[in-house]
């Protein structure tokens, strides 16, 4: 069996956020500071916290957006979602103004305000939230209806992810990254996005059907179960449960064609990954894993070939042939 431990380690390194680890927190800090400086928002108990894939350590290179969950525990009941979105725009536009080309850096969205950071090549989405009740959950503006609110609990997902990672000896988070990268390799920018695959992976782990002794086994096992979840979701209409809210499921904006594409491609990927794991020839196995994980943000292959193998998976010819009387000189000196 080909477990290729070093190659999986290198693959994870190649998709790990690089400079984003510095710029993303800085952009978050600037938006947070602007909101916390407003006297009216202070009255509302403003308390921004980082959420999203970056916070959960499952984002992959490149980080293009950072989510800031702006808790407003003292928000009066008569302040509508429309009102608070208007307030956020006023505060953030006053702080960040326009970019070098004269475009507003603050853009209004359905349930958040998006602030662009051209120097960092990323965005920060500031989402206002009010308490939903005494259960510790929150409400954010409803998409498509700025006067309505919808329940959410993103901070719990951060906790659940950490707990799942600890329960699986640190393999959960890197496996989510690898499946996110697989999704990107298979369908690119089409829907469903990485968040849906992350939740499907969480539910795959929660089923106790994902196991392994190393990263290769965890990746293949998770891919098998996620493929099964996608099959049930697309073909049989079985919803993917939201682990943060009781009796809730994950909703995505994807066409029937997009859903069928991700189902079929993940089914094929699951078969290919299992074949790669069972392959005794490391070159052939690495080539199959390479095809699944695709390219990194610089255009290079995410999964490297093991030493002694060419890019096509074939074994490199040895510079020393059996029975040779002359052996090529090495590069090391001893003395």
């Amino acid at each position: 069996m080909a477990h290729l431990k070093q190659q999986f380690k290198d693959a994870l390194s190649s998709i790990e956020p690089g400079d984003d680890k510095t710029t993303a927190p800085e952009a978050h800090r600037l938006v947070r500071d602007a909101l916390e400086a407003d006297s009216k928002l202070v009255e509302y108990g403003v308390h921004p916290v980082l959420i999203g894939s970056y916070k959960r350590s499952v984002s992959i290179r490149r980080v293009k957006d950072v989510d800031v969950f702006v808790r407003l525990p003292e928000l009066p009941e008569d302040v509508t979602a429309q009102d608070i979105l208007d307030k956020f725009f006023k505060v953030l536009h006053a702080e960040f103004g326009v970019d070098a080309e004269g475009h507003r850096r603050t853009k209004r969205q359905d349930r958040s305000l998006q602030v662009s950071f051209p120097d960092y090549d990323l965005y920060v989405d500031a989402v206002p939230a009010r308490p939903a009740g005494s259960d510790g959950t929150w409400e954010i503006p409803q998409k498509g209806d700025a006067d309505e609110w919808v329940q959410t609990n993103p901070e719990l997902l951060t906790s659940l992810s950490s707990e799942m990672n600890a329960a699986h000896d640190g393999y959960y988070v890197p496996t989510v990254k690898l499946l996110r990268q697989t999704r990107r390799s298979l369908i690119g920018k089409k829907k469903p996005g990485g968040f849906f695959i992350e939740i499907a992976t969480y539910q795959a782990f929660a089923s106790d059907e994902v196991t392994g002794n190393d990263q290769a086994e965890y990746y293949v096992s998770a891919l098998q179960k996620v493929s099964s979840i996608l099959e049930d979701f697309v073909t049989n209409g079985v919803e993917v449960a939201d682990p943060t809210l009781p009796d809730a499921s994950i909703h995505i904006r994807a066409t029937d064609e997009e859903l069928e594409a991700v189902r079929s491609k993940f089914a094929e990927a699951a078969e290919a990954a299992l074949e790669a794991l069972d392959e005794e020839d490391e070159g052939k196995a690495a080539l199959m894993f390479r095809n699944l994980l695709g390219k990194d943000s610089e255009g290079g292959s995410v999964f490297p070939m093991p030493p002694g193998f060419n890019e096509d998976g074939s074994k490199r010819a040895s510079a020393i042939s059996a029975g040779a009387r002359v052996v090529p000189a090495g590069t090391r000196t001893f003395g």
Side-chain angles (χ1 to χ4, degrees):
M1 297 176 73
H3 290 239
L4 301 165
K5 293 183 179 181
Q6 185 59 49
Q7 285 65 49
F8 269 99
K9 181 178 179 180
D10 292 342
L12 284 163
S13 178
S14 73
I15 62 176
E16 184 71 15
D19 293 341
D20 308 329
K21 286 188 174 181
T22 300
T23 57
E26 175 63 11
H28 160 254
R29 182 190 65 79
L30 292 170
V31 170
R32 181 197 67 205
D33 289 352
L35 294 170
E36 290 180 335
D38 183 78
S39 59
K40 179 56 69 174
L41 294 181
V42 169
E43 287 183 22
Y44 298 160
V46 61
H47 184 190
V49 294
L50 191 63
I51 60 169
S53 61
Y54 185 80
K55 173 66 175 178
R56 297 190 297 276
S57 300
V58 296
S59 58
I60 57 177
R61 189 180 296 181
R62 272 214 63 244
V63 176
K64 283 290 189 178
D65 57 78
V66 178
D67 297 319
V68 178
F69 194 65
V70 188
R71 297 181 294 187
L72 302 164
E74 306 302 326
L75 188 71
E77 290 187 5
D78 61 350
V79 176
T80 67
Q82 178 79 35
D83 293 336
I84 199 62
L85 287 169
D86 288 344
K87 179 60 178 177
F88 270 40
F89 177 80
K90 182 178 180 180
V91 171
L92 294 174
H93 177 56
E95 176 66 21
F96 297 104
V98 299
D99 61 22
E101 297 178 351
H103 300 132
R104 286 179 175 175
R105 290 178 56 190
T106 302
K107 176 183 176 182
R108 181 141 181 177
Q109 302 188 121
D110 281 343
R111 59 176 48 165
S112 68
L113 274 299
Q114 183 185 80
V115 182
S116 68
F117 287 83
D119 292 343
Y120 300 157
D121 189 26
L122 60 77
Y123 301 87
V124 172
D125 287 330
V127 185
R130 70 180 189 181
S134 59
D135 60 355
T137 62
W138 297 83
E139 291 180 332
I140 60 176
Q142 171 67 57
K143 284 186 176 180
D145 191 340
D147 282 330
E148 295 296 328
W149 300 79
V150 61
Q151 190 177 24
T152 188
N153 199 2
E155 292 177 280
L156 178 56
L157 185 56
T158 300
S159 300
L160 291 174
S161 297
S162 296
E163 292 168 7
M164 188 67 78
N165 197 50
H168 287 269
D169 298 323
Y171 282 112
Y172 171 72
V173 164
T175 301
V176 172
K177 287 175 177 281
L178 290 171
L179 263 71
R180 276 178 168 260
Q181 177 63 32
T182 301
R183 186 216 68 84
R184 181 181 291 180
S185 172
L186 295 177
I187 65 173
K189 296 181 179 179
K190 294 181 180 179
K191 292 178 171 51
F195 179 72
F196 182 73
I197 296 302
E198 177 187 347
I199 298 302
T201 305
Y202 180 87
Q203 296 298 5
F205 272 76
S207 73
D208 293 327
E209 295 182 37
V210 177
T211 60
N213 295 307
D214 56 31
Q215 188 59 73
E217 292 184 358
Y218 262 100
Y219 173 62
V220 174
S221 180
L223 195 49
Q224 300 287 312
K225 183 58 181 178
V226 168
S227 174
S228 175
I229 290 173
L230 290 175
E231 178 70 38
D232 279 343
F233 178 73
V234 177
T235 305
N236 303 319
V238 179
E239 298 291 342
V240 177
D242 183 340
T244 70
L245 294 172
D247 303 321
S249 57
I250 299 298
H251 298 283
I252 57 173
R253 293 179 177 179
T255 66
D256 290 343
E257 289 183 356
E258 288 173 326
L259 290 174
E260 174 55 30
V262 74
R263 182 207 64 78
S264 63
K265 288 183 180 295
F266 262 76
E268 293 170 1
E271 291 183 8
L274 186 59
E275 182 181 350
L277 186 64
D278 290 338
E279 176 60 58
E280 294 184 1
D281 186 311
E282 287 191 341
K284 291 180 180 178
L287 190 61
M288 286 187 276
F289 283 129
R290 168 176 285 199
N291 289 336
L292 290 174
L293 291 167
K295 304 290 185 179
D296 60 24
S297 58
E298 281 76 42
S301 294
V302 165
F303 200 90
M305 297 303 296
F309 289 89
N310 296 309
E311 293 298 294
D312 64 357
S314 62
K315 209 161 194 176
R316 290 178 187 164
S318 174
I320 304 174
S321 58
R325 300 182 63 182
V326 179
V327 179
T331 59
R332 296 185 180 182
T333 59
F334 301 89

